[in-house]
Amino acid sequence: LATFKLTVAYDGTGLVGWQRQAAGTSVQALLEDAFAELDGRAVIVTGAGRTDAGVHALGQVASVTLARDIDPPTLMRAINIRLPQAVRIVSAADAPPSFHARFDARRKSYRYRIWNAEVMNPFERAYAWHVPAPALDVGAMREAARHLEGVHDFTTFQGAGSDVQTSQRTILQSSIDAVHELITYDVTGDGFLRHMVRNIVGTLVEVGRGRQRPEWVRDLLLAHDRHAAGRTAPPEGLFLLRVDYD
Amino acid sequence: LATFKLTVAYDGTGLVGWQRQAAGTSVQALLEDAFAELDGRAVIVTGAGRTDAGVHALGQVASVTLARDIDPPTLMRAINIRLPQAVRIVSAADAPPSFHARFDARRKSYRYRIWNAEVMNPFERAYAWHVPAPALDVGAMREAARHLEGVHDFTTFQGAGSDVQTSQRTILQSSIDAVHELITYDVTGDGFLRHMVRNIVGTLVEVGRGRQRPEWVRDLLLAHDRHAAGRTAPPEGLFLLRVDYD
């Protein structure tokens, strides 16, 4: 048996997300089918985290164990030719037999992209949330984002249908940047609850619109109430950037 | 009657190009149908230049004359809601009755994008030409590109099926830039022949691969032979950036 660590990039447009579903095309199913064809038996591919339908990844990480050993560059090529162009293994490496992409993940980084202009850029329509002009208050959003750094109970920003043991997470970075019409939210943490990044972004946009003050985010954290936050931002603006391991 | 100058951006993926065709969806037809609905009669939309199937535009320019006058921001909004998300009017302005987007154009600028890496980036698959590793010789390509600046007969770089009075064009800028895997070719000229930019790029890539020396481009210009140049680069890497007027 040989275990591999894979880094996977995918354009989530039109996909049902990472996880295999009864209907629709998932990244996991595409990978598992490609590996099964190569390995001649059913193969399970484990992702560092689920991404929702329409969410993208530049650096999702997955683990897989195969019956036959194969050098990683050859493996990468053999799988990529079996995948649609929207999904690519961008690196592959040998891993110890115990390696588990989800359990061993220490930090994840996400980026959320907002296009803030009257007219949506056609090239951003599947890769950013269109928040029409007027201009959002980037300074207020930046200040609001900073309140999320540290150790907090993120119940308020948790989507419905979660079943996790604790809602406490440590956020190492939570920052807003803006270049012309493009506003970018970058967040790194030890873990994320369901819809957490998209709920945070919906909340930051409320602050950017001037409907709430930056301190509202701090109050929301203390409220532990999922109904208190802003709307869930749409999936197409979200990118899983990277997953870090020890 | 009221004449307008429009700047149009479009993602050319899946479109048959600018010009209305018997079959398939063209940008011109999408715009003409939207304007006809607004103006209550058939409308002709004239583009500064045709773009081929799959070619993109950030700043195509078009002229249109309508029966009823309307302020440009309102016009832009009314048309954009009638267009698919892949096509957007990004600015609209009143123009003199004589304005003609094609005849009055003085300069056009194109960009061609090349993704030079073993694995194609899924997010670039419709917006760049994948030229697999090994790395292209960017210095040689830069030198080759420079040979195209000036007044030349571009017969060698003209696609089949052209019917133009002269193949002489003035190229004001022809330059290569590279950032990591992305190689960018920028070219500005007073006009371009059919497939000219894509034929130039196919030729520059031959130089980048080391199969030809940079001086080959100078020799090709003097050859006046369409069969001498490199292959036509694929359409998805090409963007019409802007069109300038006096």
Side-chain angles (χ1 to χ4, degrees):
Chain A
L1 295 177
T3 299
F4 299 92
K5 178 187 175 185
L6 313 169
T7 305
V8 188
Y10 46 88
D11 181 336
T13 309
L15 300 177
V16 297
W18 168 266
Q19 197 174 36
R20 189 185 276 271
Q21 306 283 334
T25 305
S26 67
V27 182
Q28 185 180 35
L30 288 168
L31 287 168
E32 288 182 348
D33 293 353
F35 276 106
E37 197 180 308
L38 189 74
D39 207 38
R41 48 159 214 147
V43 172
I44 292 171
V45 177
T46 303
R50 301 172 188 179
T51 52
D52 295 322
V55 171
H56 313 291
L58 290 169
Q60 169 76 286
V61 173
S63 48
V64 65
T65 298
L66 302 181
R68 67 164 177 152
D69 201 2
I70 181 168
D71 74 294
T74 305
L75 178 69
M76 186 167 91
R77 277 192 293 272
I79 296 300
N80 277 337
I81 56 169
R82 290 173 163 86
L83 293 172
Q85 287 190 304
V87 182
R88 281 290 173 271
I89 299 182
V90 294
S91 74
D94 291 309
S98 66
F99 176 66
H100 190 286
R102 181 152 61 95
F103 298 152
D104 294 348
R106 289 294 163 263
R107 283 177 304 283
K108 288 180 194 155
S109 298
Y110 287 92
R111 174 166 293 169
Y112 196 97
R113 304 172 76 250
I114 296 165
W115 195 261
N116 182 212
E118 188 193 338
V119 179
M120 186 57 177
N121 179 335
F123 300 98
E124 295 289 354
R125 69 193 194 283
Y127 310 111
W129 178 20
H130 182 210
V131 177
L136 295 172
D137 182 341
V138 171
M141 292 173 74
R142 188 174 283 133
E143 190 184 331
R146 219 174 286 134
H147 286 297
L148 296 161
E149 293 182 349
V151 183
H152 301 286
D153 180 328
F154 283 93
T155 298
T156 300
F157 296 100
Q158 180 170 6
S162 306
D163 57 341
V164 287
Q165 293 186 317
T166 167
S167 302
Q168 184 178 294
R169 295 291 183 275
T170 301
I171 299 300
L172 300 156
Q173 189 206 351
S174 168
S175 60
I176 285 279
D177 205 357
V179 179
H180 304 298
E181 297 94 335
L182 181 68
I183 299 173
T184 302
Y185 174 61
D186 279 307
V187 61
T188 296
D190 64 351
F192 291 87
L193 304 167
R194 184 156 194 258
H195 290 175
M196 181 168 144
V197 180
R198 291 162 57 192
N199 287 339
I200 287 173
V201 170
T203 300
L204 295 177
V205 165
E206 286 296 288
V207 172
R209 282 171 167 146
R211 294 181 190 161
Q212 300 282 352
R213 301 179 57 212
E215 296 72 30
W216 181 51
V217 171
R218 196 187 49 203
D219 299 341
L220 286 175
L221 282 171
L222 300 174
H224 308 302
D225 173 7
R226 316 195 270 102
H227 304 290
R231 61 169 281 198
T232 306
E236 62 268 21
L238 185 59
F239 292 71
L240 174 54
L241 284 192
R242 57 180 291 158
V243 185
D244 292 310
Y245 295 83
D246 285 334
Chain B
L1 295 178
T3 299
F4 300 91
K5 177 187 175 185
L6 314 169
T7 305
V8 188
Y10 46 88
D11 181 336
T13 311
L15 300 177
V16 296
W18 168 265
Q19 197 174 34
R20 188 186 277 271
Q21 307 283 335
T25 305
S26 67
V27 182
Q28 186 180 35
L30 288 168
L31 288 169
E32 287 182 349
D33 293 352
F35 277 106
E37 196 181 311
L38 189 75
D39 209 38
R41 48 159 215 147
V43 172
I44 292 171
V45 177
T46 303
R50 301 171 188 179
T51 52
D52 295 322
V55 171
H56 313 289
L58 289 169
Q60 168 75 286
V61 173
S63 49
V64 65
T65 298
L66 301 181
R68 67 164 176 150
D69 201 3
I70 180 169
D71 74 295
T74 305
L75 178 69
M76 186 169 92
R77 276 192 293 273
I79 297 301
N80 277 338
I81 57 170
R82 290 173 164 85
L83 292 172
Q85 288 189 302
V87 182
R88 280 291 174 270
I89 300 182
V90 294
S91 73
D94 292 309
S98 65
F99 176 67
H100 190 285
R102 180 151 62 96
F103 299 151
D104 295 348
R106 289 294 164 263
R107 282 177 305 283
K108 288 180 195 155
S109 298
Y110 287 91
R111 173 167 294 169
Y112 196 97
R113 305 172 76 250
I114 295 165
W115 194 261
N116 182 212
E118 189 194 336
V119 179
M120 186 56 176
N121 179 335
F123 300 98
E124 295 288 354
R125 70 195 193 281
Y127 310 112
W129 178 19
H130 182 208
V131 178
L136 296 172
D137 182 340
V138 172
M141 293 174 73
R142 188 174 284 133
E143 190 184 330
R146 221 175 283 134
H147 286 298
L148 296 162
E149 293 182 350
V151 183
H152 302 287
D153 181 328
F154 283 93
T155 298
T156 300
F157 296 100
Q158 180 169 3
S162 305
D163 57 341
V164 289
Q165 293 185 319
T166 168
S167 302
Q168 185 179 294
R169 296 291 183 275
T170 302
I171 298 300
L172 300 156
Q173 188 206 352
S174 169
S175 60
I176 286 279
D177 205 357
V179 179
H180 304 299
E181 298 94 335
L182 181 69
I183 299 173
T184 303
Y185 174 61
D186 278 307
V187 60
T188 297
D190 64 350
F192 291 86
L193 304 167
R194 184 156 193 259
H195 291 177
M196 179 169 144
V197 180
R198 291 163 56 193
N199 288 338
I200 288 173
V201 170
T203 300
L204 295 178
V205 165
E206 286 297 287
V207 173
R209 281 172 168 146
R211 294 182 190 161
Q212 300 283 351
R213 300 180 56 213
E215 296 72 31
W216 181 51
V217 171
R218 197 187 50 204
D219 300 340
L220 286 176
L221 282 171
L222 300 173
H224 307 303
D225 174 6
R226 317 196 267 102
H227 304 290
R231 62 169 282 199
T232 306
E236 63 268 20
L238 185 58
F239 291 73
L240 173 53
L241 283 192
R242 55 179 293 157
V243 186
D244 291 311
Y245 296 82
D246 286 334

